[in-house]
Amino acid sequence: MIWYPYAQMKTMTPPFKIIDAEGVYLYTEEKKLIDSISSWWCVIHGYKNPEMNRAIAAQVEKFSHVMLGGLTHQAAEDLSDKLQAWLPGDLNYSFFSDSGSVAVEVALKMALQYYMNRSKKGRRLVLALDGAHHGGSFDEMNQSEDVRTMILALEHAYHGDTFKAMEVGDDEDYHFVLEAYGKNRNIIHIPTEIDALEKAFAAYGERLNSFIVEPLLQGAGGMRMYDVSFLRRARELCDRYDVLLIFDEVATGLGRTGNRFVADLVLPDIIVLGKALTGGYIGHAVTVANRKVYEGFYDDDPSHALMHGPTFMGNALACRAALKSIELFEREDYMAKIKRIEEVTRREMEGFSDPRVKEVRIMGGCVCVEVFDPATLKGYQQFAYERGVFSRPFLKYLYAMVPYVITEDELVKVLSTMREWFRR
Ligand SMILES: *Cc1c(COP(=O)(O)O)cnc(C)c1O
């Protein structure tokens, strides 16, 4: 028995059974559907892409997986080299993991230990100067002022479904189980307003180890979009207070906002990529740190090492899928495709309004129609299905995040289906 995600098993409508998929299309026994949400935003090249398939198949012939503990391989090395060259600034140090949530955990762990390592170093120096002997208990360190244990995050954030990722998240609908533990006072949530940002840094700046954000576009929290000026100010404040800035680009990376990465506009200390990284062919993610973070671990002391290692990190099939995904993205000028998707979307949604609609938001390859009342969207999935579109609205949000290989006609069909719903 499959236990399905985000669903009340007792009352859920049965899912559509997919028997084949190609390009932007999903096939059920009786229907051909445009996948308007790219299987949770990751199938950017469409399904059954011959080049993606060949890249994975060629690696299968060699080996599918070897661990990265004590072993390495060409696919992981190639992907790390590619990311180093492709990502902006000195985001050069790739730590692989098997999903976006885990990669977020890794980023948060990096940020915390970065300051632990630093404060240990500092204290060792003091002890050495005092002639005292090496080391000190963890308790002692935990109490010391210089270990920064607080994290700043955004209201309505979604960073994944593992526990620390849930804690930095802020969405009752996903994270309500945390209520059982009470509020974590080490995590502060602020709205995407510069005023709130400045206040938070003034109050907690010295105690924060990191500020984690979904930059420009908050996905699962409701496709909320905000201005880059907020991130610019965040970068300045992080520099001033020596706080690590983490961009969770699991959803926004590889073009979704109309930027290759939001990190091209404002440079974080750590970036997390997932979802579209492998074109949706195999689950994989990566946490990429800059030189400053990496150097915070680089030491003769073994206890300064990052103690993390997902079994399937650097999986060879996933690395080959990611390499091909990036190659297609560059070679086929995906940034132009995404720009076109945004233009067509703006044109098609121009002048659209309805008393039940609160707002229409468009950014890059994402469009969201927010309604006042979730009941307004009840029945939409079936309505779209009958018209040959697969959609999965949630709460008050009817949205599309189409595969970048979609044609103009197909995109128009997705958008007109959305508009039609309000004309019944
Ligand atoms: C989907 C998502 C995650 C979690 O990724 P998984 O691969 O589902 O674990 C984390 N952060 C953001 C911004 C996401 O959209």
Side-chain angles (χ1 to χ4, degrees):
M1 177 86 198
I2 300 175
W3 196 334
Y4 286 95
Y6 305 124
Q8 173 48 265
M9 294 298 290
K10 189 172 177 185
T11 54
M12 81 169 187
T13 37
F16 303 121
K17 186 160 185 175
I18 300 307
I19 56 167
D20 198 2
E22 183 165 14
V24 300
Y25 291 100
L26 299 168
Y27 295 85
T28 67
E29 273 308 342
E30 74 258 7
K31 279 276 183 200
K32 177 181 176 187
L33 305 167
I34 300 174
D35 181 0
S36 71
I37 64 167
S38 310
S39 271
W40 270 333
W41 329 339
C42 62
V43 185
I44 57 175
H45 313 292
Y47 298 94
K48 211 188 289 184
N49 179 295
E51 285 196 62
M52 291 292 294
N53 281 5
R54 274 201 300 275
I56 295 164
Q59 183 62 44
V60 168
E61 291 300 323
K62 293 180 188 146
F63 55 89
S64 295
H65 179 69
V66 298
M67 67 176 177
L68 284 194
L71 303 174
T72 194
H73 59 86
Q74 201 59 48
E77 285 179 358
D78 289 352
L79 181 55
S80 149
D81 287 349
K82 182 67 211 177
L83 289 169
Q84 180 160 351
W86 206 41
L87 290 171
D90 59 351
L91 291 165
N92 290 347
Y93 304 90
S94 286
F95 191 98
F96 296 109
S97 41
D98 33 27
S99 76
S101 302
V102 174
V104 165
E105 299 285 337
V106 170
L108 296 171
K109 195 165 171 180
M110 267 180 192
L112 175 62
Q113 196 184 339
Y114 174 84
Y115 289 98
M116 288 176 72
N117 286 354
R118 206 167 70 169
S119 79
K120 272 201 288 184
K121 250 187 212 163
R123 198 185 57 255
R124 222 166 43 214
L125 199 65
V126 172
L127 291 173
L129 289 174
D130 285 352
H133 64 256
H134 217 70
S137 76
F138 181 79
D139 278 351
E140 189 187 303
M141 186 178 70
N142 210 12
Q143 286 155 11
S144 83
E145 292 276 299
D146 51 349
V147 176
R148 298 173 172 228
T149 50
M150 294 182 85
I151 303 171
L152 188 63
L154 296 179
E155 288 177 2
H156 306 293
Y158 176 85
H159 295 290
D161 289 338
T162 53
F163 268 78
K164 202 69 189 177
M166 282 200 291
E167 284 191 338
V168 290
D170 174 49
D171 196 312
E172 288 300 296
D173 297 298
Y174 298 100
H175 311 316
F176 65 87
V177 293
L178 290 178
E179 279 169 22
Y181 288 128
K183 192 154 169 50
N184 183 333
R185 275 180 280 116
N186 279 322
I187 296 170
I188 311 292
H189 289 100
I190 57 167
T192 51
E193 292 157 15
I194 289 183
D195 209 33
L197 180 68
E198 289 175 344
K199 283 203 182 98
F201 270 88
Y204 306 108
E206 317 281 338
R207 281 184 283 162
L208 295 172
N209 64 51
S210 57
F211 180 27
I212 183 166
V213 298
E214 293 160 272
L216 295 190
L217 170 63
Q218 298 184 280
M223 308 299 157
R224 292 159 196 269
M225 299 166 188
Y226 62 92
D227 195 75
V228 68
S229 58
F230 179 85
L231 296 173
R232 295 220 163 91
R233 187 72 184 123
R235 179 70 271 178
E236 284 168 12
L237 289 165
C238 283
D239 287 340
R240 176 169 343 141
Y241 288 90
D242 197 11
V243 171
L244 298 176
L245 183 59
I246 303 172
F247 278 8
D248 175 355
E249 294 219 45
V250 170
T252 56
L254 287 99
R256 192 52 75 181
T257 66
N259 305 284
R260 219 171 46 124
F261 302 97
V262 183
D264 287 331
L265 307 178
V266 175
L267 196 60
D269 298 292
I270 299 173
I271 188 173
V272 186
L273 304 175
K275 293 201 165 97
L277 177 67
T278 57
Y281 279 66
I282 300 176
H284 220 63
V286 64
T287 309
V288 189
N290 70 4
R291 190 179 179 94
K292 168 177 150 168
V293 173
Y294 184 74
E295 282 183 346
F297 290 76
Y298 194 80
D299 195 280
D300 291 320
D301 185 341
S303 78
H304 285 199
L306 181 63
M307 297 305 283
H308 208 101
T311 304
F312 292 107
M313 72 181 291
N315 173 269
L317 303 182
C319 289
R320 286 290 169 220
L323 280 159
K324 187 55 75 177
S325 176
I326 295 169
E327 183 190 322
L328 291 173
F329 191 99
E330 287 190 295
R331 195 188 72 206
E332 306 294 324
D333 194 4
Y334 273 44
M335 291 312 297
K337 290 189 203 297
I338 297 157
K339 189 156 177 268
R340 186 72 194 134
I341 288 170
E342 177 164 353
E343 280 166 9
V344 172
T345 306
R346 289 195 187 282
R347 184 192 75 205
E348 291 297 307
M349 298 311 277
E350 167 109 56
F352 168 74
S353 73
D354 185 278
R356 290 162 290 181
V357 170
K358 184 175 174 198
E359 190 179 43
V360 178
R361 296 189 280 274
I362 298 167
M363 182 187 277
C366 176
V367 52
C368 177
V369 176
E370 179 174 347
V371 296
F372 289 102
D373 179 359
T376 305
L377 301 177
K378 199 158 178 280
Y380 181 77
Q381 188 167 55
Q382 188 60 30
F383 175 87
Y385 176 82
E386 279 151 22
R387 283 155 186 78
V389 174
F390 174 66
S391 173
R392 190 175 178 278
F394 61 100
L395 307 168
K396 295 177 289 176
Y397 314 105
L398 173 58
Y399 77 100
M401 290 216 209
V402 294
Y404 301 148
V405 294
I406 199 166
T407 64
E408 181 162 337
D409 284 350
E410 290 160 343
L411 178 57
V412 167
K413 181 167 169 177
V414 167
L415 298 167
S416 61
T417 305
M418 289 166 81
R419 290 195 320 262
E420 255 175 62
W421 172 251
F422 293 91
R423 275 202 229 105
R424 288 162 315 139

